[in-house]
Amino acid sequence: QVQLVESGGGLVQPGGSLRLSCAASGSIGSINDMKWYRQAPGKQRELVASISSGGSTRYADSVKGRFAISRDNAKNTMYLQMNSLKPEDTAVYYCNFLLRVTATVLLKDYWGQGTQVTVSS
């Protein structure tokens, strides 16, 4: 069907940067909303950023001004540029696409496998 594969996570020092990617493959007709979530140990999963099919973006207050979400529709790929990283950004980051499978009019959510981001000295 459809698979989302994430990459770009790793260990970085406070103040550093990382760029996450999420690429979808399969029989995709179109992708509406693309979102990044994160979940730290013992905490609820939270919405970090979203981008609509038209390019409108929204950010959680905790990351606004530091993170930037973008998309490449030709590659069915979403990115998250993370700058000025803080220890509290440490979490597993998950991508989520709302998309239409080829030859259907139904919309469905798909999730990536998650990628670990650790910010530490």
Side-chain angles (χ1 to χ4, degrees):
Q1 300 299 95
V2 175
Q3 184 178 3
L4 273 55
V5 178
E6 302 181 34
S7 62
L11 175 65
V12 65
Q13 294 182 344
S17 298
L18 284 174
R19 190 186 191 223
L20 306 183
S21 299
C22 179
S25 61
S27 55
I28 299 169
S30 61
I31 304 176
N32 283 29
D33 298 332
M34 295 179 170
K35 297 183 176 71
W36 286 102
Y37 290 82
R38 69 184 181 187
Q39 187 167 24
K43 295 185 178 180
Q44 298 280 349
R45 183 173 298 187
E46 65 173 342
L47 178 62
V48 176
S50 66
I51 183 167
S52 72
S53 60
S56 297
T57 60
R58 295 182 182 273
Y59 298 92
D61 289 341
S62 59
V63 307
K64 192 172 184 179
R66 300 187 297 119
F67 291 9
I69 188 172
S70 61
R71 62 191 286 168
D72 185 336
N73 291 327
K75 297 180 179 180
N76 290 328
T77 300
M78 171 180 67
Y79 306 94
L80 184 67
Q81 179 65 48
M82 304 186 294
N83 299 322
S84 302
L85 283 162
K86 305 175 181 179
E88 49 263 47
D89 294 319
T90 296
V92 177
Y93 285 70
Y94 298 91
C95 60
N96 172 272
F97 288 3
L98 178 64
L99 59 82
R100 178 178 61 81
V101 177
T102 299
T104 79
V105 296
L106 299 177
L107 294 171
K108 185 178 179 180
D109 278 319
Y110 288 87
W111 290 88
Q113 81 282 5
T115 185
Q116 177 70 48
V117 171
T118 302
V119 184
S120 176
S121 299

